[in-house]
């Protein structure tokens, strides 16, 4: 683990506190104890901050208990100017609000970040390697992420850092994704059994993001790669057999088959993801060379995740 000493204090704003934002905030609150003078805030809608829904309220209370300040704003309904005034109060802004209102939001928030004069911006790009995939892929949302990269690269005032994480580990096993079909004990490989996918859990992304934010020498204007695990679909089938102690059939959904499926249903979000992952470009990278490997920070492998989550499957 990196020994982080004499770090520069930062005033950090995290956008959103959902599946990704919560672990990022929890880990920032932990790391910030090593960096005197740093402050963590989270931007949420006023209605969320003052919620009486018990589950959400528990999370808000937890964040307050960690010393995290609440900042009320609406990323969809507030104007670029209003949001820029909010961002301007911080050194670092980390986007963890997902796509919120669809494909316009990433560009809106990047525009806000540049307008605000914030020193460093981490856009919500915790995913695949959009440049390697390229424009015009089956997942059109990825083009919006490329627009953001072009905007950030075309200027020098605001430093940016992109954290590439691959797919959230749990998503590979989501019934709606249908790659792992537990009803028929089948793995439906996307493209081929030899195609790989990089997987990282949101908890590990939280741990690693907090380290990256304070890492010295400072990351600026670069893509930092993470990998909890990088596995082929064939390895996923073998891993499930090992963890669950029963055979799994291997089926291949080819690119032409998945493209035909998408043509029948062109707005189907999951079908877009299946097709782009099947093409096998920019969706996996070796674990060696990732930030977590270089810094010897332990992360959750697919097998560890499956053992923990599928004890009774
Ligand atoms: N690589 C990947 O596989 C990958 C990467 C990222 C995300 N995802 C998937 O995408 C989904 C989204 O994950 P996520 O953590 O990014 O998002 P999320 O869990 O949906 O959380 C979004 C956060 O943004 C807040 N928010 C929503 N609208 C807002 C607005 N108008 N103004 C201010 N805040 C607003 C939400 O607050 P409220 O509580 O008020 O709604 C919530 O705190 C997850 O299901 C995840 O599996 C996958």
């Amino acid at each position: 683990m990196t020994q982080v000493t004499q770090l520069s204090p930062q005033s950090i704003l995290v956008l959103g506190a959902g599946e990704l934002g919560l672990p990022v905030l929890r880990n920032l609150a932990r790391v910030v104890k090593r960096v005197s003078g740093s402050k963590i805030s989270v931007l949420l809608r006023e209605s969320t901050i003052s919620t009486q829904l018990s589950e959400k309220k528990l999370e808000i209370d937890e964040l307050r208990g960690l010393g995290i300040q609440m900042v009320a704003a609406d990323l969809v309904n507030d104007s670029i100017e209003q949001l820029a005034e909010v961002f301007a109060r911080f050194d670092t802004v980390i986007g963890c609000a997902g796509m919120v209102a669809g494909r316009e939001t990433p560009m809106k928030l990047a525009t806000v970040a540049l307008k605000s004069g914030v020193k460093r911006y981490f856009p919500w790009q915790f995913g695949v390697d959009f440049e390697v995939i390229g424009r015009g892929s089956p997942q059109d949302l990825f083009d919006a992420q490329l627009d953001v990269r072009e905007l950030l690269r075309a200027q020098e005032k605001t430093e940016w850092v992109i954290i590439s994480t691959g797919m959230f580990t749990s998503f590979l096993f989501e019934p709606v994704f249908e790659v792992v079909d537990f009803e028929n004990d089948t793995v439906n490989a996307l493209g081929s059994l030899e195609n790989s996918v990089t997987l990282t859990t949101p908890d590990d992304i939280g741990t690693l993001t907090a380290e990256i934010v304070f890492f010295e020498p400072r990351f600026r204007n670069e893509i930092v790669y993470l990998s909890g695990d990088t596995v082929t679909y064939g390895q996923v089938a073998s891993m499930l057999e090992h963890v669950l102690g029963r055979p799994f059939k291997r089926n291949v959904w080819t690119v032409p088959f998945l493209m035909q499926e998408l043509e029948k249903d062109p707005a189907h979000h999951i079908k877009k993801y299946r097709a782009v992952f099947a093409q096998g470009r920019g969706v996996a990278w070796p674990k060696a060379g990732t930030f977590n490997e270089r810094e010897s920070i332990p992360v959750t492998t697919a097998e560890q995740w499956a053992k923990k989550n599928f004890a009774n499957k």
Side-chain angles (χ1 to χ4, degrees):
M1 169 87 72
T2 317
Q3 270 307 312
V4 192
T5 48
Q6 294 183 322
L7 294 177
S8 318
Q10 295 179 52
S11 174
I12 301 168
L13 178 66
V14 175
L15 311 179
E19 187 176 0
L20 183 63
L22 267 182
V24 167
L25 285 159
R26 286 179 181 132
N27 283 285
L28 282 170
R30 181 178 53 73
V31 171
V32 96
K33 291 186 190 142
R34 312 198 303 242
V35 194
S36 63
S38 281
K39 209 180 82 190
I40 314 293
S41 303
V42 59
L43 182 152
L44 290 165
R45 285 171 289 198
E46 180 58 52
S47 56
T48 305
I49 295 172
S50 56
T51 184
Q52 293 307 313
L53 294 172
S54 57
E55 205 180 322
K56 199 52 115 193
K57 194 171 180 309
L58 270 179
E59 289 173 357
I60 300 289
D61 290 346
E62 180 199 339
L63 295 177
R64 284 210 169 95
L66 292 171
I68 294 167
Q69 307 284 315
M70 301 288 145
V71 175
D74 190 318
L75 297 172
V76 176
N77 293 319
D78 291 353
S79 68
I80 287 178
E81 289 69 25
Q82 286 170 317
L83 291 170
E85 274 178 33
V86 176
F87 284 22
R89 296 171 5 218
F90 300 90
D91 302 316
T92 304
V93 173
I94 307 176
C96 290
M99 280 283 170
V100 282
R103 64 168 289 160
E104 307 307 322
T105 318
M107 199 57 170
K108 177 181 177 186
L109 296 183
T111 308
V112 170
L114 300 192
K115 196 175 176 63
S116 72
V118 67
K119 287 198 195 85
R120 195 160 58 150
Y121 181 53
F122 290 69
W124 182 83
Q125 297 223 343
F126 298 86
V128 292
D129 204 330
F130 305 114
E131 267 134 356
V132 174
I133 293 170
R135 286 189 183 273
S137 80
Q139 179 46 283
D140 50 341
L141 281 179
F142 291 177
D143 286 12
Q145 301 288 43
L146 280 170
D147 292 343
V148 169
R149 290 189 181 194
E150 281 180 12
L151 183 77
L152 295 175
R153 285 184 200 281
Q155 56 81 50
E156 286 175 357
K157 207 171 99 210
T158 297
E159 296 170 10
W160 53 268
V161 180
I162 286 167
I163 304 183
S164 282
T165 62
M167 193 186 283
F168 289 2
T169 309
S170 57
F171 192 69
L172 182 68
F173 303 99
E174 279 289 334
V176 68
F177 201 30
E178 294 177 18
V179 167
V180 180
D181 172 357
F182 284 110
E183 271 175 32
N184 299 296
D185 285 349
T186 300
V187 168
N188 295 306
L190 299 179
S192 85
L193 283 162
E194 290 74 42
N195 265 0
S196 302
V197 58
T198 288
L199 306 167
T200 315
T201 67
D203 279 340
D204 288 343
I205 299 171
T207 305
L208 295 163
T209 298
E211 295 296 333
I212 289 165
V213 168
F214 287 102
F215 194 79
E216 303 274 0
R218 182 178 170 93
F219 285 107
R220 43 167 72 95
N221 306 337
E222 64 187 294
I223 303 172
V224 184
Y225 290 87
L226 312 181
S227 168
D229 213 343
T230 296
V231 284
T232 65
Y233 294 99
Q235 287 169 335
V236 172
S238 305
M239 178 277 283
L240 287 170
E241 287 177 335
H242 177 69
V243 170
L244 298 173
R246 61 178 192 264
F248 267 72
K249 292 189 265 312
R250 284 127 172 102
N251 179 44
V252 177
W253 282 342
T254 64
V255 173
F257 167 74
L258 291 170
M259 292 303 286
Q260 270 170 21
E261 287 296 300
L262 180 57
E263 266 167 39
K264 285 186 221 158
D265 209 354
H268 197 295
H269 215 50
I270 297 289
K271 288 187 177 183
K272 293 183 191 179
Y273 277 116
R274 282 189 207 124
V276 80
F277 275 90
Q279 290 177 338
R281 278 196 316 274
V283 295
W285 40 87
K287 209 169 166 180
T290 56
F291 175 77
N292 46 283
E293 279 280 297
R294 287 201 317 265
E295 296 303 315
S296 307
I297 299 174
V299 285
T300 312
T301 63
E303 176 157 348
Q304 286 167 337
W305 192 93
K307 277 187 180 150
K308 191 166 165 216
N309 289 276
F310 297 147
N312 304 312
K313 264 277 193 227

